[in-house]
Amino acid sequence: TGEPAIISASGSLSVGAADLILRAGPMPAGQSGLFYYGPDTAAVPFGNGTRCVAAGSLGLHRFPPRAVTSGGELIEFVDYDSMAPGPGQILPGSTWNMQCWYRDPGAGGAFFDLSDAVSLTFDL
């Protein structure tokens, strides 16, 4: 589409409540995309967009790839219980910056784009 995608978070930031939902859109329906996260921020041209999330000392981490819905939205229900212990585990007190990468073949150029980013600080 070549249109910018906007990321949003709904639910709570409580790891215990486990009800965080990430959304990004609009995007081309039926294409693949994923949400990824890291501890630091950046402003680096990448593909048809700007990479806003940086690895820092904890690295970059991602949620499983998903297909964009027919409504042009990518949705991720964050499952804290399935995260392996280690540097990418979301724990109470941690702050993570999240962004969405998605295929956008209609836009030309690199044929992929990125959403804006959101910074989230988690609690119990």
Side-chain angles (χ1 to χ4, degrees), residues 53-77:
V53 176
S57 62
L58 298 176
L60 286 176
H61 307 278
R62 66 182 181 96
F63 296 105
R66 306 267 185 234
V68 176
T69 67
S70 59
E73 186 175 57
L74 193 68
I75 302 170
E76 179 70 42
F77 298 90

Side-chain angles (χ1 to χ4, degrees), residues 5-11 20-25 35 73-76 98 100 115-118 120:
I6 306 299
I7 190 172
S8 65
S10 60
L20 179 63
I21 300 170
L22 299 173
R23 287 183 158 78
F35 290 95
E73 186 175 57
L74 193 68
I75 302 170
E76 179 70 42
M98 302 193 176
C100 181
S115 70
D116 59 348
V118 64
L120 304 173

Side-chain angles (χ1 to χ4, degrees), residues 3-98:
E3 296 295 318
I6 306 299
I7 190 172
S8 65
S10 60
S12 72
L13 297 177
S14 167
V15 173
D19 62 353
L20 179 63
I21 300 170
L22 299 173
R23 287 183 158 78
M27 299 176 206
Q31 296 296 321
S32 60
L34 59 86
F35 290 95
Y36 71 99
Y37 60 101
D40 293 334
T41 60
V44 179
F46 185 60
N48 291 346
T50 301
R51 187 171 54 86
C52 301
V53 176
S57 62
L58 298 176
L60 286 176
H61 307 278
R62 66 182 181 96
F63 296 105
R66 306 267 185 234
V68 176
T69 67
S70 59
E73 186 175 57
L74 193 68
I75 302 170
E76 179 70 42
F77 298 90
V78 178
D79 182 4
Y80 304 103
D81 292 333
S82 69
M83 294 181 159
Q89 187 175 15
I90 296 175
L91 298 170
S94 62
T95 298
W96 294 96
N97 301 289
M98 302 193 176

